[in-house]
Amino acid sequence: MEDKTVRINKFLSEVGYCSRRAADKLIEAGRITVNDIKAEMGTKITLDDVVKVDGEIIANSKETFTYLAFNKPVGVVCTTDTKVEKNNIIDFINYHKRIFPIGRLDKASEGLILLTDDGDIVNKILRASNNHEKEYLVTVNKPISQTFVERMRNGIPILNTVTKKCKVEKIDNFTFRIVLTQGLNRQIRRMCEYLDYQVETLKRVRIMNIKLDVPVGTFRELSKDEFLDLNHLLESSVKTAKPAKPKPSHKK
């Protein structure tokens, strides 16, 4: 955040805590404080302010952001709602400050997921039009045919759409590698099911330039070089995104 004032609801949205509307509801309920004083609707904060929700520090604007690469085990759920889901990713990692997963990885799947408190980078990575690559290793319940590979590459009709063309490589009789640039709900599992295959194991091994290189259940911080490369990829993709079409004029 730049050295200027910003409304508290916008700040909470930018750091990925909640939407602006949800932030307004928290303010109305008296659950947000700024420097230990209850926030009011329209309250603005600066770089020197400390924001808390229910007494928990959400962010101090002066702090640097955190970027983690985590190898999620099967059974851990990618949610920040610690009250609803016991096997949630936040409690599992138990990091010393509040962070948020970027996107999701199914409970039954394992592998790389990024976590951060930088809301801006979350939005950029999740922007569907940016075509960011995510790579997976998948094992299925029966031998992989060349027809399966070709059909997976060229698009499968699921969820009232056809999946984008993607890279698919057969590793052995039961294992293949797939690189996606979209993130439909349970996409790989649904694609396989359409072709009468069942996924046995699914592991994400790469997100853009970040590769999975830590044991299951552990995490590490992104290196300086990784972060610089990631920012370069994000900058390029945002710049090449198609501009929004102008709204038609209603003037006669």
Side-chain angles (χ1 to χ4, degrees):
M1 191 169 60
E2 298 176 1
D3 190 11
K4 61 181 181 179
T5 60
V6 62
R7 288 183 182 274
I8 187 69
N9 58 357
K10 181 180 179 183
F11 173 75
L12 289 173
S13 173
E14 287 180 345
V15 299
Y17 183 82
C18 63
S19 67
R20 295 190 191 188
R21 182 175 296 179
D24 288 340
K25 291 181 179 180
L26 292 173
I27 293 171
E28 290 176 350
R31 295 172 59 188
I32 299 179
T33 62
V34 178
N35 303 327
D36 295 322
I37 299 174
K38 281 189 178 181
E40 298 178 353
M41 296 298 290
T43 293
K44 292 185 177 182
I45 63 170
T46 69
L47 289 173
D48 294 319
D49 295 323
V50 178
V51 179
K52 297 180 183 178
V53 177
D54 296 332
E56 177 186 357
I57 295 178
I58 299 305
N60 181 330
S61 304
K62 279 187 170 181
E63 293 181 347
T64 56
F65 289 121
T66 295
Y67 306 93
L68 302 181
F70 173 55
N71 189 345
K72 186 191 88 67
V74 171
V76 172
V77 182
C78 294
T79 179
T80 57
D81 193 342
T82 58
K83 294 181 180 178
V84 174
E85 183 59 61
K86 292 183 179 179
N87 297 321
N88 65 83
I89 192 170
I90 302 303
D91 284 344
F92 186 93
I93 291 180
N94 194 28
Y95 200 64
H96 67 273
K97 60 190 284 194
R98 190 175 183 94
I99 52 177
F100 308 87
I102 303 178
R104 299 179 62 84
L105 196 56
D106 291 343
K107 183 177 182 179
S109 303
E110 65 178 288
L112 181 62
I113 187 161
L114 305 179
L115 297 100
T116 185
D117 51 358
D118 181 352
D120 183 54
I121 206 168
V122 171
N123 294 331
K124 289 178 180 177
I125 291 177
L126 296 183
R127 193 189 302 270
S129 62
N130 282 337
N131 297 321
H132 303 314
E133 287 191 346
K134 293 182 283 290
E135 181 178 338
Y136 303 80
L137 289 179
V138 186
T139 61
V140 288
N141 63 326
K142 59 183 182 180
I144 296 169
S145 66
Q146 188 58 34
T147 299
F148 171 87
V149 172
E150 291 298 328
R151 295 192 67 181
M152 290 285 283
R153 282 175 180 163
N154 290 302
I156 298 293
I158 60 171
L159 298 173
N160 299 315
T161 188
V162 177
T163 59
K164 292 181 180 180
K165 289 187 177 182
C166 60
K167 301 173 186 175
V168 180
E169 174 192 0
K170 180 178 176 181
I171 304 298
D172 59 38
N173 282 342
F174 296 91
T175 308
F176 67 94
R177 183 190 314 276
I178 183 169
V179 180
L180 300 180
T181 55
Q182 65 184 141
L184 301 177
N185 180 256
R186 299 181 70 251
Q187 180 172 344
I188 297 173
R189 295 178 188 276
R190 291 179 190 274
M191 291 170 73
C192 290
E193 287 169 4
Y194 183 85
L195 298 175
D196 198 28
Y197 282 75
Q198 296 296 319
V199 170
E200 299 287 341
T201 65
L202 191 157
K203 178 190 291 187
R204 185 156 64 197
V205 296
R206 179 174 63 87
I207 298 174
M208 299 174 69
N209 65 304
I210 313 299
K211 296 180 180 179
L212 182 66
D213 59 0
V214 293
V216 175
T218 65
F219 62 86
R220 64 171 177 82
E221 293 186 358
L222 299 191
S223 70
K224 183 178 179 180
D225 287 342
E226 282 177 324
F227 182 71
L228 290 174
D229 288 344
L230 179 63
N231 261 324
H232 177 71
L233 290 170
L234 291 172
E235 183 181 54
S236 300
S237 58
V238 169
K239 286 181 178 179
T240 56
K242 294 181 179 179
K245 293 182 179 179
K247 294 182 179 180
S249 172
H250 294 290
K251 293 181 181 180
K252 294 182 179 179

